[in-house]
Amino acid sequence: MKSNILAWIHEGNITIPALLFSEYRNLNLNETELVLLLNILTFIEKGNEFPTPEELSARMTVSISDCNEMLRRLIQRGFIEIIDQYSHDGIRFEKYSVKSLWEKLIDQFMINNKATKEIDKQAEETNLYTCFEKEFGRPLSPFECESLGMWMDDDHHDPVIIKAALREAVMSGKLNFRYIDRILFEWKKNGIKTIEQAKNHGLKFRQKQTQKVNVKDDVHHPAVPFYNWLEQ
């Protein structure tokens, strides 16, 4: 019993990226090809870098000829390579390389990541249009939609910053695209890229404006100064 357990332990373990199992179909691999690749990886892990079709077939439910044919197709499609190596004694030998398999898997991961980002971007854009139409109380005109699209295409203008500029315009009672565009221009010129920076910038200006307000008028007619971006 103990010897059997020891034999099981000596078989070792092999680490396979979970992404290979979730993406093999998108790589146009079928289940049999996947198992063949897994067996090649297992052999390589255990020191046999060039298992024969006979050795691979012995672990699978496919014939030697079918296994040989699958290997040929996998090489043609760029999932595995047969590369030449030389020992310390200068003896030439061949081995399988699965580097191209990992490269294909990385490419697929990047495609998925890009697609996810595109979906997130589209959701942000839809949300941004909705915010503007809600504040304006009407659908945006073609010119306004174009302006909003240009702001979003500007790498400096994060959707959160555009929303902040919209809020600034609402607070200032100057709800128009020219005013918002001027706010974004000033923020870009001053290197403002975060909500916190935008808040601090507006706060500093309002504090300066408050200091200029006549104390008497401030008591009887409280004023809330706003940043008139169009006058900058």
Side-chain angles (χ1 to χ4, degrees):
M1 182 64 178
K2 186 181 291 184
S3 61
N4 289 337
I5 295 175
L6 287 172
W8 171 68
I9 293 173
H10 285 308
E11 280 294 311
N13 300 299
I14 181 170
T15 302
I16 305 295
L19 195 66
L20 180 59
F21 291 95
S22 62
E23 295 297 332
Y24 75 89
R25 182 178 176 182
N26 291 327
L27 294 176
N28 294 317
L29 290 167
N30 59 40
E31 282 75 11
T32 308
E33 290 169 333
L34 174 63
V35 172
L36 179 58
L37 287 169
L38 293 177
N39 274 302
I40 291 174
L41 290 169
T42 303
F43 272 110
I44 292 174
E45 188 76 14
K46 295 186 70 175
N48 183 353
E49 297 183 298
F50 197 55
T52 65
E54 290 81 5
E55 290 174 315
L56 292 166
S57 174
R59 292 188 170 192
M60 300 175 64
T61 58
V62 295
S63 65
I64 295 173
S65 60
D66 286 342
C67 189
N68 197 47
E69 177 61 22
M70 277 195 295
L71 287 169
R72 185 184 65 80
R73 289 200 306 267
L74 289 172
I75 292 170
Q76 286 180 338
R77 292 160 58 195
F79 285 99
I80 55 175
E81 294 178 275
I82 296 177
I83 59 176
D84 294 333
Q85 294 280 288
Y86 291 87
S87 67
H88 294 298
D89 301 326
I91 300 174
R92 175 181 170 276
F93 64 93
E94 293 180 320
K95 73 173 188 177
Y96 284 120
S97 169
V98 293
K99 179 183 176 182
S100 53
L101 170 63
W102 303 138
E103 288 175 345
K104 286 179 180 292
L105 196 59
I106 290 170
D107 288 341
Q108 185 61 40
F109 174 78
M110 293 177 69
I111 289 172
N112 291 345
N113 195 42
K114 183 178 179 181
T116 301
K117 286 182 177 179
E118 285 295 322
I119 292 172
D120 291 342
K121 183 181 178 182
Q122 290 174 6
E124 283 182 348
E125 290 179 359
T126 300
N127 184 38
L128 201 54
Y129 277 98
T130 302
C131 286
F132 268 75
E133 290 183 340
K134 182 179 178 181
E135 292 295 347
F136 277 74
R138 58 171 174 77
L140 300 181
S141 68
F143 173 77
E144 290 170 338
C145 288
E146 184 179 352
S147 297
L148 188 51
M150 289 174 62
W151 295 339
M152 288 187 286
D153 288 338
D154 191 324
D155 291 336
H156 185 89
H157 295 151
D158 185 273
V160 176
I161 290 294
I162 298 174
K163 285 182 183 179
L166 171 62
R167 285 196 297 270
E168 185 75 27
V170 172
M171 290 173 61
S172 300
K174 298 181 182 294
L175 191 58
N176 62 74
F177 270 69
R178 180 167 170 258
Y179 194 78
I180 297 169
D181 187 62
R182 184 64 186 182
I183 294 173
L184 292 171
F185 173 79
E186 288 293 330
W187 284 354
K188 184 175 182 179
K189 186 173 70 173
N190 287 279
I192 293 171
K193 297 180 179 181
T194 67
I195 286 291
E196 198 60 35
Q197 289 173 335
K199 286 180 179 179
N200 290 336
H201 189 69
L203 181 61
K204 287 178 182 178
F205 175 82
R206 293 188 180 100
Q207 287 174 342
K208 289 180 181 179
Q209 291 293 92
T210 302
Q211 292 172 3
K212 297 177 183 180
V213 175
N214 185 279
V215 176
K216 184 177 179 180
D217 290 339
D218 190 42
V219 172
H220 298 287
H221 305 284
V224 181
F226 290 103
Y227 201 147
N228 191 347
W229 299 91
L230 294 178
E231 293 178 357
Q232 299 309 306

